[in-house]
Amino acid sequence: MDFSVLLEEIKQADTITIFRHVSPDCDAVGSQFALKNWIEENFEGKHVYACGKEVTHQAEWPDNDEVNDDIIASSIAIVLDTANKQRVDDERFAQALKVIKVDHHPDREPFGDICLINDSAAATCEILTFFFDTYKEYVFSQKTAEYLYRGLLTDSLNYTTNNTTQETLKAGGILASTGLDLSKISHDVFDNSIRGFKFTGYIISHTEVLDNAFAYVIIDEETYTSYGLNASDARSFVGKLSNVRDFSVYAVFTTKKDASGKTLYDGSLRSKKNRINDIAEKFGGGGHACAAGVKNLTQENMTNILNLLRKRI
Ligand SMILES: [Mn+2]
């Protein structure tokens, strides 16, 4: 991948705003804070802002920066880990002087003036690792590396997802060479709270299994709220269904009510090898081949998507 354009843009800019997707995960936030830190450690005097309103409670992260419209309008915006415009946390990114997209999702909806896409990377943090490692004249500190390692580990689910490659492991090695405490970081990002542990029990005992291969669970708003979780946190437990040998496709759905009181469903869909993002796209969702999401399904669409996922096995 040719990173020279990205480096050149960073060198030229006085003000850089860094964006990532809504409902951020550790890859979104990790790539964001890693890039901010790397620029700050290497380019004195530049103004760098980590934008976005939402946070993730998986591991501890710095606060996002408050940014006014004038700052954004005078900045170059780097949008990380976000496949389409609608998913950027803070739509004001579009007002920037220039927009640069850096991502590892399939590029179905290209946006921005410059696109750096590698959809065979397991994480955006993997892409940034190679970016920083390419230019050895700059500092690649342990702090930057730790942010990246969190995203690499979580997006690849500990190097187990089917987009994990030798490059992913190579990136892990580059990051580890800065002296990271690998065991500690792994516990930081993957350890459960007691409440989460109990919620896992709820998920396991309420999972429906079809054809011995398709597992799904629907969690209503009252239930996830009673565990102190929001809907997106609740769906992030989908990984708890991944380590059952017989499950090849699995999903967690959460319910919510629309303005008229009608129940709608959001879902996180996973698969060990069958492609499922085309199914998600039929319902207005999307994502990676084997890890995708859908939102705002009606009861009827719920029935339809369950049938399609079941048939995919
Ligand atoms: Mn990602």
Side-chain angles (χ1 to χ4, degrees), residues 27 81 104-105 155:
D27 189 34
D81 199 39
H104 72 124
H105 294 87
D155 255 32

Side-chain angles (χ1 to χ4, degrees), residues 21 25 27-28 81 103-105 122-125 151 155 288:
H21 60 78
D25 53 17
D27 189 34
D81 199 39
D103 191 23
H104 72 124
H105 294 87
T124 300
C125 286
D155 255 32
H288 302 283

